[in-house]
Amino acid sequence: MAASGLLLVLFLFAHMAGNLKIFVGAASFDHYAHWLRDIGTPLLPRTWYLWLQRVGLTAAVVAHIASAAVLARRARAARPVRYAHRPKVQGSYAARTMRWGGVIILLFVVFHVLDLTTGTLNPVGDAQHPHANVVADFAPSRWYVTLFYTLAIVAVGFHLRHGIFSALRTFGQQSPRGEHRARAIALVLSVVLVVGYLSVPFAVLSGLVS
Ligand code: HEM
């Protein structure tokens, strides 16, 4: 769970940093998107690295979901007799929403790839001009798209807050002082990620990026 999650978190930060290029300008953002296809050349043929990354990320998502299923089965087996009375509040909001948060994120990624990678659901959908695709996506008239992105990105933030905290424990953090530090690290990283991602749709919505 922690190892596949770490790979996905690395992708999330790299992707967020790349998205921020939109504030440099359309040419810079488009150049960056085209460069993604050139990574690894001339050692590898064009787009090979991108496809290796796609295969790696898909494997990480499958491993992440499979580990979640194994852990859930183990937890059920450890308590075969259900609690007669189970107190409602258990753990943080982030911890209690891991399963449904994960489902929302998965559905979002499917929508997002059809929107900005294949262009199928995008009003412009021009692979040569990703900046134009993003600007068209978050136009004020398509407020519901921005709303969906916002919900999904906030879900990513909650998922990450609990996920990073749990991963730090898996990777060896055990002391009470370390626990405070782990909580703080998880919170700061999640907030940076959410603000970084949300800055793009809201910059388009407000006219800062056009
Ligand atoms: C407002 C926030 C976001 C923006 C503006 C954005 C923008 C983009 C763009 C422009 C692409 C196409 C890149 C290209 O092929 O040239 C893309 C691809 C992608 N994005 Fe995002 N993204 C955002 C949030 C996210 C989030 C939160 C996730 C994951 C939970 C994500 C996962 C992906 C994936 C998996 C791809 C496909 C990469 C590939 O082609 O292999 N994105 N995004």
Side-chain angles (χ1 to χ4, degrees):
M1 194 94 231
S4 54
L6 181 68
L7 198 74
L8 296 169
V9 169
L10 289 178
F11 166 78
L12 278 174
F13 274 94
H15 186 37
M16 182 204 72
N19 285 349
L20 294 180
K21 282 232 155 225
I22 205 146
F23 294 103
V24 184
S28 174
F29 189 77
D30 286 354
H31 177 256
Y32 159 73
H34 296 314
W35 168 78
L36 291 176
R37 273 106 190 130
D38 290 332
I39 304 177
T41 57
L43 185 64
L44 297 172
R46 204 171 171 270
T47 74
W48 271 43
Y49 168 80
L50 188 63
W51 278 104
L52 286 173
Q53 179 175 295
R54 285 171 177 165
V55 171
L57 284 177
T58 307
V61 169
V62 170
H64 206 62
I65 296 170
S67 317
V70 169
L71 287 179
R73 207 175 314 137
R74 238 185 250 170
R76 265 200 309 275
R79 174 79 210 187
V81 182
R82 288 181 143 247
Y83 287 108
H85 171 70
R86 197 171 185 207
K88 270 223 161 66
V89 178
Q90 286 184 354
S92 68
Y93 180 77
R96 283 181 287 118
T97 51
M98 289 309 270
R99 189 175 301 178
W100 284 107
V103 172
I104 292 172
I105 295 165
L106 192 64
L107 291 175
F108 163 75
V109 171
V110 172
F111 169 80
H112 182 54
V113 167
L114 289 172
D115 176 18
L116 287 174
T117 300
T118 67
T120 321
L121 299 177
N122 190 275
V124 172
D126 177 356
Q128 291 309 308
H129 298 100
H131 181 273
N133 296 340
V134 172
V135 169
D137 223 7
F138 303 122
S141 59
R142 284 167 53 89
W143 57 269
Y144 47 89
V145 173
T146 301
L147 181 66
F148 179 46
Y149 267 76
T150 304
L151 290 176
I153 289 164
V154 169
V156 170
F158 277 117
H159 202 80
L160 233 66
R161 188 179 149 210
H162 182 68
I164 293 174
F165 171 73
S166 306
L168 288 172
R169 206 178 253 182
T170 302
F171 291 135
Q173 185 301 110
Q174 284 185 341
S175 69
R177 247 186 79 201
E179 177 132 342
H180 280 296
R181 221 174 296 149
R183 271 189 211 289
I185 292 171
L187 181 65
V188 170
L189 290 179
S190 308
V191 169
V192 167
L193 204 86
V194 168
V195 172
Y197 272 118
L198 285 184
S199 66
V200 177
F202 284 93
V204 175
L205 195 66
S206 64
L208 185 67
V209 165
S210 57

